[in-house]
Amino acid sequence: MSENDNAAKRATVYFEPALHRAVRLKAAHTHRSISEIVNDAVRLALREDEEDLAAFEDRVAEPAISYEALLKDLKAHGKL
């Protein structure tokens, strides 16, 4: 990995006006940059995706049931 690979990369992000206002205020209130807040939010979203994928992988061997079959089963057992 070259030294340049660790350098921050520039990107243009278009925020909805209310979100931009909120992130600007949060940055000022927490004495952090908008970039730091956005990077943390993206890291969190990617971690959540990783956890979701791991959960799917853990459950891959579970039997699948269609929505219709689920409803039928719930009705048959007095749950609906």
Side-chain angles (χ1 to χ4, degrees):
M1 187 183 297
S2 73
E3 197 173 302
N4 242 0
D5 290 338
N6 290 326
K9 305 297 180 194
R10 181 182 204 115
T12 301
V13 177
Y14 294 94
F15 291 100
E16 296 171 14
L19 290 176
H20 185 249
R21 196 169 31 258
V23 77
R24 263 193 5 241
L25 288 171
K26 181 172 181 159
H29 182 72
T30 59
H31 305 288
R32 297 170 64 211
S33 70
I34 290 175
S35 292
E36 289 172 311
I37 293 169
V38 171
N39 277 307
D40 287 349
V42 170
R43 276 189 206 94
L44 177 61
L46 292 174
R47 257 193 251 92
E48 289 173 354
D49 287 349
E50 183 181 41
E51 290 169 7
D52 290 344
L53 290 171
F56 287 131
E57 191 173 303
D58 290 344
R59 300 180 75 179
V60 73
E62 290 183 8
I65 183 170
S66 71
Y67 183 65
E68 291 80 8
L70 173 65
L71 291 178
K72 186 176 179 181
D73 183 65
L74 289 172
K75 188 173 183 180
H77 289 92
K79 305 284 183 174
L80 285 184

